[in-house]
Amino acid sequence: MMDAMFPVAASEHAGEIDNMIDAVHYLMLALFIVWGVFFVYTLMRFRAGRNPKADYVGVKSKASTVGEVLVAIAEGILLLGFSIPMWAERVDEVPDESEATVVRVVAQQFAWNVWYPGADGEFGAADVNLVDEATNPIGLDRDDPAGADDIWTVNQLHLPVRKAAIIHLSSKDVIHSFNLPNMRIKQDAIPGLSIPVWFVPTMTTAQIREETGNPDYVYEIACAQLCGNSHYSMRGFLTVHTEEEFQAWLDEEASYLGDSDDDFFDF
Amino acid sequence: MAEPVHASPAHEEHHHEQSFWRKYIFSTDHKVIGVQYAVTGLAFLLFGFGLMMVMRWQLAYPDTPIPWLGSLLGENRVGANGSMLPDFYNELGAMHGTIMVFLGVVPLAVGGFGNFVMPLQLGAPDMAFPRINMISYWCLFMGGVTMFGSFFLPNGAAGNGWTSYSPLADTALNGQTAWLIGMIFLITSSLLGAINFITTAIQLRAPGMTWMRLPFFCWAQIVTAFLLLLAFPPLEAAGVLQLMDRVASTSFFIPEGLVIGGEVAEFSGGGSPLLWQHLFWFLAHPEVYVLILPAMGIVAEVIANNSRKPLWGYRSMVYSLIFLGFMSFIVWAHHMFITGMGSVMSTFFQTTTMIISIPSVIILSALFISLWGGSIRFNTAMLFALGFLPMFGIGGLTGLPLGLSAADIPLHDTYYVIGHFHYVVAPGTLFALFAGVYYWFPKVTGRKMNEFLGKLHFWPSLVFMNGVFFPMMIQGLNGVSRRLADGGITYDFAGEVAGLNRMMSVSAWCLAVAQIPFIINFFMSIRNGKKAGRNPWNSTTVEWLAPSPAPHGNFDQPIEVVRGPYEYSVPGSDKDYVPQAEPAST
């Protein structure tokens, strides 16, 4: 029913969330219609002009109790059958990191720093005292052996299709919220905490462009928690590649490492 | 015993001629204080609405010069071309929320109606603590002055959302400190009021006013007072802690290692930003019920009176109300599903959230069913009360997908949330409050408000309220986030529905025009309204036995309650209402 309104779904779990929102809205609509019909009929039937003498007792039937029990049952089904297990899947069944693309996203006013572990698969150390907004926004320690090959980008998240992505979210300053509308993912990035969020993208950027008929379609990353004056423009991009394209992109990024990040801005 | 049952200082002062200041400004009479609260609340509702109308300009016409106001707002608020700067948008947003909730609805619903009506309905001569009542109003007034004055600070008023999440609110350069000081006044005011309401309801009921003879409105005020009493102290404490973070460099809500604007922040760290959210929502969820329960109380009174029959299921409504009050303390973290909540916590809070919907459904159903078999009079008060039912229904129903954590993921922090709670408090609570104004106006002034202007107020308000809030649901389902200073046009996915903003803004401005008949009606009727006797609506509850307007001390006859609150259309009675305190005929 509502699918037409949602952003195009592009992750494995998006369908079940959409279906659930649909189901809840059917319940809401049913209740609203039942109440509404009763309401309008009652107002017409019992207006003073037509019914000058009110009835002291009114409704004698217990139908409303039955209705209330039915509502409670419907809510119980939504809760036990859908919401609780789906939530457990999101937070308790995070896939093994060895079978996933693991990325860190460090939010800040007003950008998303995306941090890949590089070829060794290990994130290097970071230190707030190393932070330099232009050359090292995540405070990465290049002297740490694990950090030598790490890659970071700003506002550009790249992931391979059909492989679980685990994103460890944190923030440098205030609370942000990492919102991927197409993936049905939203998770606050909270300073002082690292919170994992995971999903499996099902469509590459090329595929969604074809599907929507829009050659400029991009997966957007939006900030969903008020974070200061430019909150409204804290926009990032997700590009979903095939496995080969993703590897090629990583290799290309890695090839810039020799130049050192610092030189990039020195020309 | 021959002496009056409720002897109180109010009675002894009865015949003293009071000075203007004692009578109208620093009054201890619950009715004067009630009117002070109500007028303050209405004024702030209008002001808060004004802030929103300016915001709606920016949403409808982003980065377009603001007409008329542009040059008055100063260079901190508008850019070179006279359009709104994002900081100003955030300031308006935060203050709109704060003012509507804490300085608009609560003072009117609790301070205004509660103060004025509850003692009268109980058959009491005044509140239990008249001086505390006066102090409570003046604390609110100080809070209002602080909040309003903060707009004139060099960096403007607070702009961190009405929720003031840390660390943003701890480190922001705007008027957050003034916001916190203002909140401390407002909370103190509510606490003093709550003690007074509870004591009055327990101690000052007229003889024969047993608990199950209490009008539903009084029950609503009692439960509300308990919510205020128990939920506000944690926020007051949290407010003081955040104030310390800001002015004394403590780190209650600030973790280690913050880097703000490229500099390592000078905080020792070790605090938790989530602690603020827990403390805030521990108040702010019960606060939702503080906004809605008095509204339900008013609607129940008006519906019983104008359907000319008893409320259906009065007892189950009262029990539902008490259950609702209790449950409202254990649902707060459903505002925090996406802060990284595990499955145990989320299971608990979404289960309690679904449970709390049941008593709301029971109360709403009972109000609908109460109409069946009635002889319904459609005066303005009744129209607003009837309008409340489906509008609050939409507000309540749209809470369901937000209360289920999985469905909340795409909807959280979107316009769906804004639409949801505005349906609850705008065409919901505000309609109920308007119903209350039209209904009790004769008791306050001795005159009725004009019915034609009243209907001219109701029908356009109903249309335009929906014009503002329904499209928010559509925007929310499309994923448009709240609190975006450009209404979302930065994002492609929001682009399709950004166009709705213009229609919503026009609705908001038309809604403002629709309030003009109310304002005219309100002031004209004070002097020129049709004279009302003691009981212009042929009502059963005790407040209508007092003269209109009621004098200091309230009643000119002893009150003894002999029956339930809604004895309308009693079979065998010669008139269609039997007042609660009318002696049983032999």
Side-chain angles (χ1 to χ4, degrees):
Chain A
M1 177 172 72
M2 336 277 307
D3 300 41
M5 286 190 235
F6 302 143
V8 184
S11 69
E12 255 177 21
H13 72 281
E16 56 186 11
I17 288 192
D18 291 0
N19 288 340
M20 181 175 166
I21 293 178
D22 256 11
V24 182
H25 280 82
Y26 279 119
L27 173 65
M28 291 153 63
L29 195 64
L31 283 169
F32 189 76
I33 289 173
V34 171
W35 268 337
V37 169
F38 176 85
F39 184 52
V40 172
Y41 176 76
T42 307
L43 292 185
M44 293 192 300
R45 167 77 180 76
F46 295 102
R47 64 181 194 272
R50 189 172 161 192
N51 193 41
K53 181 91 183 78
D55 173 12
Y56 181 73
V57 178
V59 171
K60 290 189 197 69
S61 98
K62 295 277 171 213
S64 71
T65 310
V66 177
E68 281 143 15
V69 171
L70 287 176
V71 171
I73 292 171
E75 288 180 354
I77 293 170
L78 286 167
L79 205 55
L80 299 171
F82 297 88
S83 192
I84 292 173
M86 278 159 67
W87 190 263
E89 183 191 314
R90 302 281 11 108
V91 298
D92 294 340
E93 292 164 32
V94 183
D96 197 86
E97 296 213 339
S98 61
E99 292 157 16
T101 316
V102 182
V103 189
R104 287 184 184 173
V105 169
V106 184
Q108 72 172 80
Q109 291 172 324
F110 300 91
W112 305 98
N113 299 296
V114 182
W115 178 5
Y116 292 87
D120 64 354
E122 272 184 61
F123 290 99
D127 182 343
V128 290
N129 295 305
L130 295 174
V131 168
D132 179 311
E133 289 302 335
T135 58
N136 190 2
I138 53 177
L140 177 64
D141 182 358
R142 288 287 186 201
D143 296 333
D144 176 22
D149 62 349
D150 286 14
I151 295 164
W152 59 265
T153 68
V154 178
N155 290 334
Q156 297 290 343
L157 174 61
H158 291 252
L159 293 172
V161 72
R162 300 216 163 275
K163 183 175 176 188
I166 301 174
I167 295 167
H168 296 279
L169 274 174
S170 62
S171 167
K172 276 161 73 175
D173 38 39
V174 302
I175 299 177
H176 302 269
S177 191
F178 181 74
N179 177 17
L180 289 169
N182 300 95
M183 304 298 162
R184 308 295 186 263
I185 285 292
K186 194 179 286 150
Q187 170 61 52
D188 285 356
I190 299 174
L193 297 175
S194 172
I195 303 168
V197 58
W198 75 279
F199 60 98
V200 183
T202 52
M203 259 198 282
T204 63
T205 299
Q207 281 172 320
I208 197 165
R209 285 178 175 170
E210 202 170 308
E211 173 139 337
T212 58
N214 176 359
D216 301 319
Y217 198 100
V218 284
Y219 291 124
E220 294 173 292
I221 306 171
C223 182
Q225 184 66 267
L226 180 64
C227 60
N229 74 6
S230 299
H231 161 62
Y232 71 100
S233 60
M234 189 167 156
R235 181 192 190 204
F237 302 91
L238 163 65
T239 311
V240 180
H241 300 277
T242 61
E243 183 68 49
E244 302 77 51
E245 283 168 0
F246 177 67
Q247 205 50 54
W249 176 81
L250 276 181
D251 293 343
E252 189 192 338
E253 288 295 313
S255 73
Y256 298 138
L257 279 180
D259 310 342
S260 119
D261 295 325
D262 309 45
D263 300 344
F264 183 79
F265 287 93
D266 294 344
F267 300 100
Chain B
M1 297 266 284
E3 61 185 25
V5 182
H6 31 258
S8 82
H11 258 292
E12 286 148 34
E13 287 167 18
H14 199 203
H15 299 291
H16 293 188
E17 200 50 50
Q18 290 174 307
S19 71
F20 172 82
W21 283 91
R22 292 289 296 168
K23 198 167 174 186
Y24 295 110
I25 310 297
F26 296 105
S27 173
T28 52
D29 184 322
H30 75 98
K31 297 183 296 301
V32 177
I33 296 172
V35 171
Q36 289 176 327
Y37 264 116
V39 169
T40 309
L42 284 167
F44 271 109
L45 283 174
L46 191 64
F47 178 63
F49 184 29
L51 299 181
M52 185 275 279
M53 283 191 284
V54 181
M55 290 170 83
R56 290 246 48 116
W57 174 266
Q58 166 72 4
L59 294 173
Y61 305 101
D63 303 323
T64 313
I66 309 169
W68 310 316
L69 291 171
S71 56
L72 300 173
L73 293 166
E75 58 190 17
N76 288 339
R77 293 196 166 101
V78 290
N81 72 343
S83 67
M84 185 179 293
L85 292 175
D87 274 333
F88 182 35
Y89 182 87
N90 292 341
E91 177 185 359
L92 290 172
M95 295 309 286
H96 166 74
T98 305
I99 284 172
M100 289 312 229
V101 170
F102 297 108
L103 281 161
V105 173
V106 172
L108 181 55
V110 181
F113 286 111
N115 251 311
F116 190 94
V117 176
M118 194 178 79
L120 283 166
Q121 283 195 333
L122 296 173
D126 204 318
M127 292 289 253
F129 307 119
R131 282 183 191 80
I132 288 184
N133 206 13
M134 176 183 82
I135 296 169
S136 151
Y137 172 75
W138 287 102
C139 281
L140 173 94
F141 186 83
M142 289 301 294
V145 169
T146 310
M147 289 293 185
F148 182 75
S150 69
F151 282 95
F152 301 97
L153 292 172
N155 290 312
N160 312 301
W162 80 288
T163 50
S164 288
Y165 279 6
S166 293
L168 180 64
D170 287 39
T171 54
L173 296 174
N174 51 34
Q176 183 66 21
T177 303
W179 187 90
L180 289 163
I181 294 169
M183 282 306 293
I184 290 168
F185 278 118
L186 298 178
I187 295 169
T188 306
S189 161
S190 280
L191 289 177
L192 294 174
I195 310 169
N196 216 345
F197 277 52
I198 292 168
T199 314
T200 304
I202 292 173
Q203 294 292 344
L204 294 187
R205 282 168 293 130
M209 182 63 92
T210 60
W211 290 112
M212 282 299 144
R213 286 178 181 168
L214 223 51
F216 189 69
F217 176 81
C218 291
W219 271 113
Q221 290 289 345
I222 294 166
V223 175
T224 302
F226 273 103
L227 298 186
L228 288 171
L229 183 69
L230 299 176
F232 249 146
L235 185 64
E236 186 145 29
V240 172
L241 299 184
Q242 197 179 73
L243 192 62
M244 290 302 109
D245 279 4
R246 286 182 63 84
V247 300
S249 294
T250 55
S251 291
F252 290 106
F253 304 123
I254 297 182
E256 227 175 322
L258 287 198
V259 182
I260 296 175
E263 302 292 326
V264 178
E266 296 199 356
F267 286 97
S268 59
S272 162
L274 284 181
L275 175 62
W276 167 266
Q277 293 190 24
H278 280 291
L279 292 172
F280 180 84
W281 288 114
F282 187 79
L283 156 86
H285 198 83
E287 179 75 13
V288 172
Y289 291 89
V290 169
L291 302 177
I292 197 67
L293 298 184
M296 287 175 169
I298 294 170
V299 167
E301 298 299 305
V302 173
I303 283 185
N305 176 254
N306 288 298
S307 63
R308 313 306 295 162
K309 62 181 286 298
L311 283 182
W312 188 87
Y314 167 83
R315 269 175 191 270
S316 58
M317 284 173 75
V318 171
Y319 296 140
S320 297
L321 195 66
I322 295 169
F323 185 58
L324 207 57
F326 171 75
M327 289 301 291
S328 76
F329 284 103
I330 49 171
V331 296
W332 80 90
H334 67 207
H335 297 270
M336 299 167 58
F337 283 142
I338 64 159
T339 54
M341 198 178 279
S343 50
V344 174
M345 283 267 278
S346 100
T347 298
F348 177 80
F349 282 105
Q350 59 187 318
T351 305
T352 56
T353 303
M354 289 303 114
I355 291 172
I356 203 174
S357 72
I358 301 298
S360 307
V361 169
I362 292 175
I363 292 177
L364 199 57
S365 300
L367 290 171
F368 276 121
I369 294 171
S370 292
L371 296 167
W372 184 273
S375 174
I376 302 169
R377 306 187 302 209
F378 292 95
N379 53 34
T380 307
M382 185 62 164
L383 288 177
F384 274 105
L386 293 173
F388 167 91
L389 298 176
M391 295 296 106
F392 174 71
I394 295 177
L397 289 171
T398 47
L400 285 178
L402 299 169
L404 294 159
S405 62
D408 183 53
I409 295 171
L411 299 176
H412 194 96
D413 269 326
T414 65
Y415 267 95
Y416 196 90
V417 180
I418 310 285
H420 153 67
F421 71 71
H422 277 90
Y423 263 102
V424 174
V425 291
T429 296
L430 286 184
F431 271 19
L433 296 178
F434 280 129
V437 171
Y438 286 96
Y439 183 67
W440 281 300
F441 191 86
K443 189 50 62 187
V444 181
T445 63
R447 291 170 190 274
K448 283 187 178 182
M449 288 176 83
N450 180 286
E451 279 293 313
F452 173 75
L453 287 173
K455 280 161 191 167
L456 201 61
H457 175 207
F458 171 73
W459 289 107
S461 293
L462 181 67
V463 171
F464 294 125
M465 282 276 191
N466 284 287
V468 180
F469 299 120
F470 199 80
M472 289 186 180
M473 306 296 181
I474 297 167
Q475 291 187 326
L477 289 167
N478 276 274
V480 183
S481 291
R482 63 193 291 196
R483 293 173 172 169
L484 298 174
D486 64 354
I489 54 171
T490 296
Y491 297 101
D492 290 347
F493 67 84
E496 290 172 30
V497 286
L500 290 170
N501 276 323
R502 206 159 289 183
M503 170 250 175
M504 292 154 73
S505 294
V506 171
S507 292
W509 301 323
C510 291
L511 183 60
V513 175
Q515 306 314 302
I516 293 172
F518 172 72
I519 296 169
I520 294 174
N521 198 355
F522 188 87
F523 287 106
M524 294 253 301
S525 303
I526 294 175
R527 287 187 179 280
N528 304 319
K530 210 160 93 186
K531 281 214 167 187
R534 288 180 185 232
N535 192 358
W537 312 117
N538 291 343
S539 182
T540 51
T541 43
V542 175
E543 78 269 31
W544 303 103
L545 294 176
S548 307
H552 199 50
N554 292 347
F555 297 98
D556 50 8
Q557 57 194 355
I559 300 295
E560 182 163 359
V561 175
V562 293
R563 58 178 69 77
Y566 305 112
E567 292 299 292
Y568 289 103
S569 303
V570 180
S573 172
D574 51 347
K575 55 185 198 287
D576 74 345
Y577 66 105
V578 189
Q580 272 196 285
E582 186 174 279
S585 52
T586 43

